[in-house]
Amino acid sequence: MSQTVLSVSHISKSFGGIHAVRDVSFEVQKGEVLGLIGPNGSGKSTLFNCVLGQLQPNAGAVTVKGQSVSGMRACDLNKLGVGRTFQQLSVFPEMTVLDNIILAGQEHHGTMLSRLFGAPDAGLTGEADRMIEFFRLGHLRDEMAGSLSYGQQKLLDAAMAFMAGPDLVLLDEPAGGVNLTMLANLKERLQTYNREHGTTFVVIEHNMEFVMSLCTRIIVLAEGAVIAEGTPEEIRSNSQVIDAYLGG
Amino acid sequence: MEQFLQVLLSGLATGSIYALAAIGFTLVWQAAQTVNFAQGEFVMLPAFFVLIAMNSGLPLPLALIVALAVSVFVLGFLFKKAIVEPMQKHGNGGGLSLIIATMALAIFLKESVKEFYGAEAQPYPPLISGGTWNIGGAIVSVTDIAHLAISLGVVVGLTLFLNRTRTGRAMQATAQNPAVAEILGVDTNRMVLYTFLINAALASLASFLITPVYLAKFSNGEYLGLIAFIAAIVGGFNQIRGALAGGLLIGVLDNITATYITAEYRAAIPLVLLIGIILFRPQGLLGTSEGRTV
Amino acid sequence: MNAIPKWLWIALGLAVLIVAPIGQGNYFTLILCSWLMFTIAAMGLNLTLGYAGQISLAQASFMAVGAYITALLTLNGIHWIVAMPAAVVACFFIGLLVGFPALRVKGHFLAFVTLAFNTLVVLVLRNEDWLTGGSYGKFNMPRPDFWIFNTARKSDVLGIALSSNQKIYYLCLITFVVFAALMYGLIRSPWGRAFKGLRENPIRAESLGLDTRRITLLAFAIGSAGGGLAGSLMSPVVQFIEPNSFALVHSLRILLMVVVGGAGYFFGPMLGAAVVILLPEFLRFTQGYYLILYSVAVIILMVYSPSGLMGIGDRILSKLRPQRVVRGDMKEGAQL
């Protein structure tokens, strides 16, 4: 019944003599919201970059919907149905919010030629407006993205990741630096999107509160290996996790 | 064989002068992320200061000193204070606008010389006028030997200064990591200024040595600037020894090409070398990919 | 100022351009031709540099390729209307090749590669006498005859006596208008948005499914084709081309046009080319000091408004409309 969207099997990655990731395996099913947490240097980012095809693991394989992502270019990964957000602000500052959103969707509509000779908005204005409204950026539609507040740009970044209707969205520290009101807004929007579209999320995050309330399942990494896996309640009461975070 | 030795030596001599300009270029790039498109004009101009000083009656040695001082002030101090610093203050440093500004500066220097001194090539007194030595059958020009010795001496001195003195090490720290240098109590702004002054001095020296070969002309900078860029990039954009090697290599290659291969496409060799290096070894022949990333 | 719609401004501008050469002498008419040609070349470079953020110092070499191909074909009896597309297509493909280094290096390194390319092209033009005429270049290229509109000789058109130079001006004007319309369409199209995406944040663009390699190459190829088009006009207009007309300094001049006008603004290159080409004519009284004054002005402009003259205009407009924040500084950062 359930359908595997992302499969990570026996991934290892070392830099020089340091094993950043050791033999990590997990699967993510359609509609799941998986959290990847761990203290600094636990290998989260390395793992994340292996999943994105940006780093080649020394061993193991990552497949998205059954396709290996090893060595895949970011644009091809996106075409395969993987959206992502960035840790740092990652919008197009000198373009309007609307143009940012249309750009996020246009490569998934029509051909090279239809994009040259067809409508300037690639027929996406309606869809883009719905996405802008969904993320409550409607009043900023025609503003330059660079003039938005930090939190608004984070929302815009998330909105762009969804514009192409992805099956899997990788969120790289979505809560970083966002104020509490904006954070509640972001979380609620992500949950609603997940419920309405059944999109699968993988979230890397430091903010425990955010991860615990957003995710359906959590994987804890420490020193490159998985030390715990389970629902937020299980993780909360896991003594190994508490030790890892307290440096025990 | 004798001819080859001569070609090699005179190539090295010219190359060592190119290296002076290339080293200055590299230093400024390292210290202030400033790609100076006017570097060629920085080499063109000091020779005219010498001519002006001599026209007003000074003997050559005194004229050289005056020209050096004026060059260091104008091409070092003023360049930094009037152009680079205001741009960086406005947050435009290091970008396209600074490249354009140095291009405009090149035009300014070139046209000023043309307007105020003249468009014709001017004879220029050689610093060293020697005959030739016969070493084992090879005719060797004393001027070449002297050029090579002076240039290499300056490079060695500069390296010692940068590595052995407190100021030199502070300058290197500034170039490598200005934030950390600042924390360690280095006056980074002053160190960057020193770099600009040294660049101007190196350019002046290159000017004094190379101008007797080309004659003093307002347009000399076009070719010299290109050669300095190429030498800096070929050797490794972030290293003194890289720029030195790059300069020597280009001097020798240029001479060998002209003598043995093709005179028409002589100027093409460094360009092809440049394209090849940038595409296949962007860190340069001697450079490492570490250091400050671009 | 905002009360007048944009199209009315454009119509007004066009009307001025149409009547501009009437009653004027050859000299003024040819200066206008020169402005139109360089505007086309600068608009091409503006796509590569201003919109897609890829610096190129080789635009004059594409003008050279366009001009020489057009000259060789038309001197051999082929009509300009056939030679021109051939030149443009050739420049498109050479531009594609020159774009490859941009996939590996950025910023000033790219500037040096393209600079070297320009210098190499000039060397080849100078040394391959059998094809290019060497340092003497090519001359007496025929002006095209469009049946009722023969640009090679003077005649009455719609009751107005037009000289050959005036007619070749109209050829330039028509080419310019068509090219500008195509560019406008391109910039508004999803391709244009993709070019800007490449300039502003290539990593984000790639993660949104944009093939940034392809977009980079296309930005170079289309921009170069613009250079080729300008060159193919130069051949019949000037009727004399030689390698020095396309030396590196001319690439720098075209770059200056783009930057002074305002990189990334549609009308920037037109303004920039006007400043570089027309202003010296009005400032003749300054004689040789013109370039000196000009270079000082460019330095000051770069210090205080790196987004060029259009940027200054934008700033004045944004003072009138305070809610809109203009951030030229961020664009600068994204370009290099």
Side-chain angles (χ1 to χ4, degrees), chain C residues 135-186:
Chain C
S135 303
Y136 299 105
K138 289 279 170 194
F139 34 86
N140 291 337
M141 281 76 80
R143 287 183 169 176
D145 178 1
F146 298 98
W147 186 47
I148 51 164
F149 192 79
N150 185 352
T151 62
R153 60 173 62 92
K154 73 174 183 191
S155 65
D156 283 9
V157 179
L158 306 172
I160 303 165
L162 291 178
S163 70
S164 168
N165 281 338
Q166 280 163 335
K167 282 198 254 178
I168 205 82
Y169 167 82
Y170 287 111
L171 178 64
C172 290
L173 183 60
I174 290 165
T175 312
F176 162 75
V177 169
V178 171
F179 180 69
L182 288 175
M183 283 305 250
Y184 188 68
L186 176 68

Side-chain angles (χ1 to χ4, degrees), chain A residues 7 19 41 44 46 84 86 88 96 110 114 134 147 149 159 170-171 181 186 188 192 203 210 225 230 234 240:
Chain A
S7 156
H19 296 280
K44 296 186 306 271
T46 307
R84 70 167 295 193
F86 285 77
Q88 297 87 12
T96 63
S114 77
F134 183 84
S147 66
S149 75
L170 305 170
L171 300 152
T181 325
L186 177 66
E188 188 270 324
T192 308
V203 188
F210 184 79
E234 286 164 1
Q240 254 185 306

Side-chain angles (χ1 to χ4, degrees), chain A residues 73-75 78-79 82 84-86 89-95 99 102-104 106-108 112 115-116 119-122 142-144 146-147 157 160-161, chain C residues 185-186 188-191 193-194 196-215 218 323-328 330-331 334:
Chain A
R73 293 177 56 198
C75 61
N78 181 254
K79 295 256 170 66
V82 180
R84 70 167 295 193
T85 68
F86 285 77
L89 284 185
S90 223
V91 299
F92 303 99
E94 284 273 290
M95 290 160 69
D99 268 330
I102 293 178
L103 180 58
Q106 69 177 34
E107 295 305 306
H108 298 263
M112 284 286 283
R115 267 174 254 137
L116 180 59
D121 67 347
D142 297 314
E143 295 298 315
M144 289 292 162
S147 66
D157 189 19
M160 282 199 280
Chain C
L186 176 68
R188 272 167 44 94
S189 78
W191 281 34
R193 199 176 290 111
K196 281 184 238 170
L198 173 67
R199 170 189 79 191
E200 306 241 317
N201 196 336
I203 294 170
R204 187 55 170 140
E206 181 93 17
S207 82
L208 295 171
L210 226 87
D211 190 336
T212 50
R213 281 190 214 169
R214 190 190 285 166
I215 289 291
L218 280 172
Q323 74 275 21
R324 189 73 164 260
V325 184
V326 178
R327 307 189 56 160
M330 295 200 62
K331 178 166 74 192

